[in-house]
Amino acid sequence: MNRRYLAFLLLAVLSLGLTGCLSHWFIETESRLQVENATEDITLYGVDVLAEDSVNYEKWIDETILPGERSHVAEADWVGEFRVRIRYGREGEDTLKSIRALDIDGGSLFLRITAQDDTLVYTFK
């Protein structure tokens, strides 16, 4: 019976080792983002994560968010400090860009965007 127990234990340990990096069990590496447009007259056109060269980027949220609305939840593997670009504008005007460095910890993030004196204010809840 002792050999069967050891064989079962060894098999269990090996199967756990094959499930991937064990740090994923303890550290969440995916970030789920939802954006609320709490402005009165600004439309948000998307959220992008910029590369170090600021030329290349990856879209995180690619939808139009009207004033008072919320985006769908978008999931991506962003954990760490990143430069994030919000594309926005008022009806009939050119698209503007707001770039900020954000520290993203993973998990569920709710970003509320308001406007104050022609600048966007980011608040994580």
Side-chain angles (χ1 to χ4, degrees):
M1 186 75 78
N2 194 13
R3 284 187 174 186
R4 286 185 179 175
Y5 178 73
L6 287 175
F8 177 75
L9 185 63
L10 180 62
L11 184 61
V13 168
L14 286 174
S15 66
L16 289 176
L18 295 176
T19 61
C21 181
L22 293 178
S23 67
H24 288 253
W25 290 2
F26 307 105
I27 301 171
E28 191 155 11
T29 60
E30 287 191 343
S31 297
R32 291 169 300 283
L33 176 66
Q34 184 176 31
V35 176
E36 176 186 12
N37 183 353
T39 66
E40 293 180 11
D41 61 345
I42 295 174
T43 300
L44 305 177
Y45 299 114
V47 178
D48 307 321
V49 178
L50 298 175
E52 288 184 20
D53 63 4
S54 295
V55 174
N56 297 310
Y57 63 92
E58 189 168 325
K59 293 180 179 182
W60 192 353
I61 292 181
D62 189 23
E63 64 182 279
T64 299
I65 310 164
L66 299 173
E69 292 185 352
R70 293 181 178 180
S71 71
H72 290 91
V73 176
E75 193 171 310
D77 277 335
W78 300 114
V79 174
E81 187 172 320
F82 297 95
R83 291 173 18 119
V84 175
R85 174 178 65 193
I86 305 288
R87 292 176 281 119
Y88 69 98
R90 289 186 173 89
E91 190 174 325
E93 294 182 3
D94 291 336
T95 300
L96 303 171
K97 297 170 188 158
S98 172
I99 298 173
R100 303 263 172 89
L102 297 178
D103 191 23
I104 301 169
D105 293 331
S108 294
L109 305 167
F110 183 79
L111 178 60
R112 186 171 194 259
I113 298 180
T114 57
Q116 183 177 20
D117 300 331
D118 289 337
T119 60
L120 298 181
V121 177
Y122 300 15
T123 307
F124 280 103
K125 289 185 170 187

